[in-house]
C-alpha cells in the first residue's frame, strides 16, 4: 500500500520484531519514526492512511531511550576542565566516542577550576543536538568551586571559593557567564547559598548539592529554595548518621515541597559505592536515582597518568586516584557498564535500570517531553540492546549513528 504523503514527504521507518521500553514496561510492539520523532501509528493509519517506507527487523532487540549522562568530566584523553586551543575538537571527540556506550545526550562537566578556565571554556560549550557527529550537548555541569574544603575530594583546594557579600555576583564573576550552563553543584551550608540557589533556579539552572558537610536541615532548606539534585550520593558528603543523616536524609525527608522530587546521582561502577549502599539508596527512593559516570579523561585509555582539571590522577585498574594518594577522582566507567552493574547489584528490573540512565535524568532537567522516553512525539533518540543490556546500535533523531560490528557482537 503506498504511503499517503499529505502530511509530510519524509520517509517513515518501522522498527519491527522488538521490545520497546514504554510506560515503564517492555512492550512487544513496533516503533515508528518520521522526521526524527516517534510517530503514533494509529494516527498514521487512520488519519493519514499511510504506511512505512522502510521496515527494519530488530531481531528481538530491546529498544530503549538513549542514555543521558549529566556528569562526565571527559574521556579518551580529553579533559573538559582544561582550557586548550583545540577544546572544541576535544568535546567533539568525546561526543562521538560515547555513542558506543549508548549515550545520546550529555552535560560536559567542569570540576573546580580558576576563573580563567571557566572564562575560556564555557563560551566553547554550546547546547546542540546530537547526530552522526556525536551525542547532543544539553549544557555544562559546573561542579564547584563553591564547595566545602572538608569534602573537596579531588577538587584543588586553592581554587575553592566562598560567597561573599555579592553572593550571586561572585558566582557570575567566577564563571563569566551562565549561557549554556545546565547544572551547578554547590555546598548548601555555605553562607548566602540560599539566595544563589534561588537566583540559579529562576534562570532555569538545576542546582545540585554536593561536596558538602551540610546537615539534613541545611539540605532541606536548599531544596525548599529550589535545589533538585544531589551530586554522586554518598561520595564527598557526611556519612549517614542516625541522628542527623545529612544530605543522604533527603531521600526520605518529609520536608520536600509538594509536587517536587529530589533526584540523586550515583556512580554505579562497583568502586565508588558498595553494592549494599546502592541497594539502600535505590530501595529508599527508586524514582530519584540517576546513573552518572563521573568519567574522567582516562576513560577509554590504558591505565597510567592522566588529568582531572588542575590535578594529576593515576588510573589503576578501575580505580582512579589523585596521584600519590588514595583519594578517588572520578571514574573510568562507561554508562552502559554502570547500567549493567546497577541492575546486577540491586536485582532491579531491566526497565528500572534503563530508566535510571534515561527517563530520570530527563525528568531532572525537565526535558522528559522530548528526551528519556519513547512516547509519541518525543525525539527518536534510542538504543538497541540485547538481553544482557549490551548496546548493539545507537540512534539519534531516528538515524543510526553507531553500530556494534558483527565480529564484536
Amino acid at each position: 500500500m503506498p504511503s499517503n504523503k499529505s502530511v509530510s514527504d519524509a520517509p517513515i521507518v518501522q522498527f519491527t520484531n522488538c521490545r520497546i521500553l514504554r510506560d515503564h514496561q517492555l512492550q512487544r510492539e513496533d516503533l515508528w519514526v518520521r522526521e526524527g520523532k516517534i510517530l503514533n501509528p494509529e494516527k498514521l493509519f487512520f488519519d493519514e492512511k499511510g504506511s512505512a517506507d522502510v521496515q527494519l527487523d530488530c531481531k528481538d532487540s530491546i529498544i530503549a531511550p538513549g542514555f543521558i549522562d549529566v556528569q562526565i568530566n571527559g574521556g579518551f584523553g580529553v579533559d573538559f576542565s582544561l582550557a586548550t586551543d583545540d577544546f572544541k575538537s576535544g568535546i567533539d571527540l568525546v561526543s562521538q566516542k560515547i555513542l558506543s556506550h549508548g549515550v545520546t545526550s550529555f552535560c560536559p562537566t567542569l570540576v573546580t577550576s580558576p576563573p580563567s578556565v571557566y572564562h575560556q571554556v564555557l563560551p566553547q560549550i554550546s547546547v546542540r543536538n546530537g547526530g552522526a557527529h556525536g551525542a547532543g550537548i544539553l549544557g555544562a555541569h559546573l561542579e564547584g568551586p563553591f564547595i566545602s574544603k572538608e569534602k573537596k575530594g579531588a577538587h584543588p583546594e586553592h581554587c575553592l571559593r566562598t560567597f561573599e557579600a555579592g553572593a550571586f555576583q561572585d558566582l557570575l564573576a567566577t564563571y563569566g557567564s551562565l549561557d549554556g550552563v545546565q547544572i551547578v553543584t554547590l555546598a548548601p551550608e555555605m553562607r548566602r547559598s540560599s539566595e544563589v540557589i534561588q537566583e540559579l533556579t529562576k534562570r532555569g539552572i538545576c542546582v545540585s548539592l554536593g561536596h558538602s558537610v551540610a546537615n539534613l536541615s541545611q539540605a532541606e532548606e536548599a531544596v525548599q529554595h529550589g535545589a533538585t539534585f544531589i551530586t554522586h550520593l554518598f561520595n564527598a558528603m557526611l556519612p549517614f548518621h542516625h541522628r542527623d543523616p545529612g544530605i543522604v536524609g533527603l531521600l526520605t525527608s518529609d520536608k520536600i515541597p509538594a509536587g517536587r522530587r529530589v533526584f540523586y546521582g550515583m556512580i554505579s561502577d562497583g568502586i565508588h559505592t558498595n553494592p549494599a549502599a546502592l541497594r539502600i539508596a535505590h530501595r529508599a527512593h527508586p524514582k530519584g536515582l540517576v546513573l552518572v559516570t563521573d568519567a574522567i579523561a582516562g576513560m577509554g585509555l590504558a591505565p597510567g597518568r592522566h588529568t582531572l582539571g588542575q590535578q594529576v590522577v593515576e588510573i589503576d585498574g578501575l580505580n582512579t586516584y589523585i596521584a600519590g594518594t588514595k583519594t578517588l577522582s572520578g571514574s573510568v566507567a562507561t554508562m552502559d557498564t554502570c547500567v549493567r552493574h546497577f541492575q546486577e547489584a540491586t536485582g532491579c528490573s531491566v526497565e528500572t535500570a534503563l530508566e535510571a540512565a534515561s527517563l530520570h535524568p530527563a525528568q531532572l532537567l525537565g526535558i522528559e517531553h522530548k528526551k528519556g522516553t519513547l512516547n509519541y512525539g518525543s525525539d527518536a533518540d534510542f538504543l538497541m540492546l540485547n538481553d544482557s543490556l549490551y548496546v548493539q546500535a545507537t540512534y539519534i533523531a531516528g538515524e543510526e549513528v553507531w553500530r556494534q560490528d558483527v565480529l564484536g557482537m
Side-chain angles (χ1 to χ4, degrees):
M1 173 180 165
S3 302
N4 177 332
K5 300 294 187 177
S6 59
V7 174
S8 168
D9 284 335
I12 296 164
V13 182
Q14 177 188 6
F15 295 83
T16 66
N17 189 16
C18 53
R19 289 158 292 155
I20 300 173
L21 177 54
R22 190 176 277 153
D23 297 328
H24 317 297
Q25 288 182 316
L26 287 177
Q27 306 185 14
R28 192 163 279 288
E29 52 187 84
D30 295 350
L31 185 77
W32 299 73
V33 174
R34 176 171 63 194
E35 290 185 317
K37 302 283 184 192
I38 309 289
L39 202 55
N40 181 344
E42 284 195 8
K43 284 192 171 173
L44 173 67
F45 300 150
F46 298 116
D47 298 353
E48 301 179 37
K49 308 287 188 281
S51 63
D53 297 282
V54 181
Q55 282 189 326
L56 289 175
D57 182 348
C58 300
K59 303 191 167 113
D60 205 35
S61 296
I62 292 169
I63 291 193
F67 298 150
I68 299 169
D69 193 351
V70 299
Q71 187 175 9
I72 170 171
N73 310 290
F76 312 98
V78 176
D79 184 342
F80 298 146
S81 302
L82 286 184
T84 57
D85 293 337
D86 60 349
F87 183 86
K88 280 198 162 136
S89 60
I91 208 165
D92 288 348
L93 175 74
V94 175
S95 65
Q96 228 300 303
K97 293 274 198 180
I98 57 178
L99 295 174
S100 67
H101 309 158
V103 177
T104 53
S105 302
F106 71 109
C107 293
T109 304
L110 278 73
V111 295
T112 295
S113 303
S116 60
V117 169
Y118 297 114
H119 293 198
Q120 281 175 269
V121 169
L122 286 179
Q124 300 186 72
I125 298 177
S126 45
V127 175
R128 69 180 187 206
N129 292 328
H133 58 273
I137 297 174
L138 299 169
H141 177 170
L142 306 182
E143 187 188 0
F146 301 98
I147 57 173
S148 155
K149 194 189 296 185
E150 292 86 348
K151 291 293 177 185
K152 66 183 186 297
H155 293 237
E157 188 169 327
H158 70 278
C159 294
L160 299 183
R161 300 173 83 86
T162 54
F163 297 122
E164 301 308 325
F168 189 68
Q169 292 309 313
D170 296 341
L171 177 139
L172 275 179
T174 301
Y175 296 147
S177 165
L178 290 172
D179 294 346
V181 173
Q182 182 71 257
I183 304 173
V184 171
T185 292
L186 53 77
E189 71 275 13
M190 294 179 81
R191 220 163 43 90
R192 311 187 78 99
S193 66
S194 291
E195 59 191 90
V196 172
I197 292 169
Q198 287 172 308
E199 285 294 332
L200 288 168
T201 305
K202 236 189 262 177
R203 288 161 170 76
I205 293 170
C206 166
V207 175
S208 189
L209 312 179
H211 289 276
S212 161
V213 291
N215 59 34
L216 178 56
S217 66
Q218 289 167 325
E220 287 170 334
E221 189 184 343
V223 170
Q224 285 152 12
H225 285 117
T228 53
F229 195 39
I230 303 169
T231 296
H232 45 52
L233 187 77
F234 298 125
N235 294 112
M237 60 187 61
L238 291 178
F240 178 88
H241 189 282
H242 56 285
R243 277 194 289 278
D244 191 335
I247 289 178
V248 177
L250 287 175
L251 270 60
T252 56
S253 167
D254 57 0
K255 305 269 192 317
I256 308 297
R260 176 91 56 79
R261 186 185 303 177
V262 173
F263 293 88
Y264 58 96
M266 297 226 63
I267 310 166
S268 168
D269 61 353
I271 306 284
H272 278 76
T273 314
N274 185 285
L278 196 53
R279 287 191 286 275
I280 287 170
H282 176 245
R283 288 175 194 175
H285 184 27
K287 287 189 162 71
L289 194 148
V290 172
L291 292 177
V292 298
T293 61
D294 199 18
I296 63 167
M299 175 183 66
L301 302 180
R305 290 200 157 206
H306 301 282
T307 62
L308 177 60
Q310 311 300 302
Q311 314 260 44
V312 175
V313 299
E314 287 177 326
I315 297 178
D316 175 13
L318 288 175
N319 294 288
T320 61
Y321 302 114
I322 291 180
T325 75
K326 287 296 175 191
T327 301
L328 283 174
S329 54
S331 85
V332 288
T334 61
M335 184 57 93
D336 55 323
T337 305
C338 291
V339 170
R340 290 190 295 271
H341 176 72
F342 169 57
Q343 202 227 342
E344 194 181 323
T346 61
C348 71
S349 67
V350 162
E351 292 93 333
T352 297
L354 292 168
E355 287 188 341
S358 54
L359 175 64
H360 295 176
Q363 290 171 327
L364 164 71
L365 299 179
I367 57 173
E368 70 272 25
H369 57 290
K370 55 182 179 176
K371 306 275 185 199
T373 76
L374 297 176
N375 294 341
Y376 302 139
S378 57
D379 294 350
D381 297 357
F382 59 89
L383 314 174
M384 284 185 198
L385 307 108
N386 65 18
D387 285 357
S388 303
L389 301 186
Y390 283 86
V391 181
Q392 298 171 316
T394 303
Y395 286 76
I396 293 182
E399 301 288 332
E400 183 182 294
V401 293
W402 180 84
R403 177 169 288 277
Q404 175 77 56
D405 64 58
V406 180
L407 294 173
M409 283 180 83

